[in-house]
Amino acid sequence: MKTAPKTALIFGIGGQDGSWLAQLLLEHGYSVHGTSRDREASGFTNLRRLGLFEQVRLHSAVLTDFRSVVQVIHEVRPSEIYNLAGQSSVGLSFEQPVETLSSTTLGTVNILEAIRFLGIEARFYNASSSECFGNTDQGPANESHPFHPRSPYGVGKAAAYWAVANYRESYNLFACSGILFNHESPLRPSRYVTQKIVRGAADIAERKTDRLRLGQLAIERDWGWAPEYVDAMWRMLNHDQPEDFVIATGEAHPLEEFVNAAFAYFGLDWRTHVEIDAGLLRPSDITHSVGNPQKAERLLGWQAQTKMPAMVHKLIDAEMERRRGSLLMA
């Protein structure tokens, strides 16, 4: 007798992680459903870019509206639920703190409460963030490292993390959080500094401009490759028990090193073209952020394969391919 495929529901399927996760789950034979605020108005550019738009079922849902969340979970009856929705830009969270906190914290609680209210046997993954830790000057952060967020985004993620832990302990839900450090891919929006650097270096190489304005270059981040990180999410929900995991490469690199690698790809000296703009500095920022992924390696068999230098090359290769495609379509 043929076994019915597992059903997954991804809140925020149109974002970078949601689209990569949809691809992974489809490869594993899942029936994949996903949500957006308005499925008719959303372009789902990332799903289309990966050739997945026709392979997933899309629904409208607003995370801050409990009835909306209950309705879509009741309709789909998923075995796995992934919460990747909410305002996801750290920089933008300083401009939109209320929206960021509401979508991140209340949205997570609404999903947890909907699972409890409906009484379904769904496993729940919550996208937490290294922003919860703030600076990790005392060494790479593991799962017991104290939280000290330095942005509205980090505050919201920290609150959501503890909500998940509370529901897991109070109601015996299979609910866990992945504390993911920075992870990039060509699906990132242009407002993210990694895409800004990659596109800026490409524009300079093509003589479209001569300058790139950036903020603080001394900050250090633990950068990984997004398609690998969604695999860790899936492994968490297929682990034998619900646990929280730090997902990271274990290596920190200054933003200046990222910039240098991007410009060197084109044979350029970044110091000739990059200007520091004080107006791009955040009210508060994390100077050093690096994670300790040993628990994920030990219990999930997960390990980052793509480190920062290779990641930069992958981003630029994809950007140049995108530009060649645009040229062919012109």
Side-chain angles (χ1 to χ4, degrees):
M1 183 175 178
K2 190 174 181 180
T3 305
K6 285 186 176 181
T7 300
L9 174 61
I10 304 172
F11 286 92
I13 195 171
Q16 169 188 258
D17 290 3
S19 298
W20 288 119
L21 178 62
Q23 181 182 72
L24 177 76
L25 294 175
L26 287 166
E27 290 171 353
H28 282 295
Y30 282 66
S31 172
V32 178
H33 296 247
T35 74
S36 177
R37 280 180 171 271
D38 185 344
R39 66 178 179 184
E40 300 300 328
S42 298
F44 295 104
T45 305
N46 288 334
L47 290 176
R48 294 180 189 276
R49 187 170 177 180
L50 296 179
L52 306 177
F53 183 72
E54 302 295 336
Q55 301 181 53
V56 300
R57 287 194 58 188
L58 300 169
H59 308 262
S60 298
V62 178
L63 273 185
T64 51
D65 178 358
F66 180 65
R67 180 178 177 179
S68 174
V69 174
V70 168
Q71 189 170 1
V72 70
I73 293 177
H74 177 71
E75 179 183 345
V76 175
R77 308 296 291 189
S79 51
E80 296 178 9
I81 299 174
Y82 296 84
N83 177 26
L84 311 181
Q87 199 293 103
S88 60
S89 168
V90 177
L92 191 59
S93 75
F94 286 101
E95 300 174 24
Q96 300 178 0
V98 176
E99 161 63 17
T100 300
L101 289 168
S102 178
S103 64
T104 304
T105 307
L106 179 58
T108 303
V109 172
N110 277 343
I111 298 173
L112 289 162
E113 186 63 11
I115 294 170
R116 189 181 76 87
F117 175 75
L118 293 169
I120 64 172
E121 295 293 326
R123 295 187 171 199
F124 175 63
Y125 170 84
N126 175 59
S128 192
S129 169
S130 60
E131 291 287 326
C132 296
F133 295 128
N135 286 307
T136 60
D137 296 327
Q138 304 305 311
N142 61 21
E143 292 74 12
S144 62
H145 194 93
F147 285 177
H148 187 172
R150 295 176 58 82
S151 67
Y153 175 82
V155 170
K157 286 295 187 180
Y161 170 92
W162 288 116
V164 171
N166 180 258
Y167 269 77
R168 181 172 63 228
E169 296 166 5
S170 299
Y171 303 114
N172 199 32
L173 298 186
F174 194 110
C176 58
S177 291
I179 309 174
L180 272 59
F181 279 70
N182 294 60
H183 49 287
E184 310 299 325
S185 83
L187 302 186
R188 275 286 192 216
S190 58
R191 69 173 177 266
Y192 283 78
V193 69
T194 49
Q195 280 298 318
K196 182 178 180 180
I197 293 166
V198 165
R199 296 183 184 189
D203 284 344
I204 291 169
E206 294 177 352
R207 301 183 184 278
K208 294 179 179 178
T209 185
D210 191 53
R211 287 285 180 270
L212 174 63
R213 291 183 174 84
L214 297 172
Q216 175 62 263
L217 296 185
I219 61 169
E220 295 180 324
R221 294 290 186 268
D222 185 328
W223 277 294
W225 187 240
E228 297 174 7
Y229 282 47
V230 300
D231 177 59
M233 300 176 188
W234 174 75
R235 289 174 186 245
M236 286 181 216
L237 289 200
N238 286 273
H239 187 46
D240 54 4
Q241 60 187 15
E243 297 186 55
D244 304 321
F245 290 88
V246 164
I247 303 300
T249 70
E251 298 180 2
H253 296 269
L255 185 61
E256 180 179 312
E257 188 178 333
F258 188 108
V259 173
N260 181 59
F263 276 80
Y265 180 100
F266 298 103
L268 298 170
D269 183 349
W270 69 270
R271 289 166 295 190
T272 306
H273 303 283
V274 172
E275 295 180 359
I276 303 303
D277 185 347
L280 296 175
L281 300 177
R282 295 171 181 170
S284 64
D285 206 347
I286 296 170
T287 57
H288 182 80
S289 177
V290 61
N292 179 348
Q294 290 184 359
K295 181 181 176 183
E297 294 173 11
R298 187 176 72 254
L299 298 183
L300 302 179
W302 181 91
Q303 189 171 22
Q305 302 300 313
T306 306
K307 305 298 178 66
M308 194 279 287
M311 183 195 71
V312 175
H313 278 220
K314 284 188 175 187
L315 290 175
I316 298 177
D317 285 342
E319 174 62 16
M320 300 315 292
E321 183 179 342
R322 183 185 72 84
R323 292 181 182 220
R324 286 192 294 270
S326 298
L327 187 62
L328 290 173
M329 289 185 288

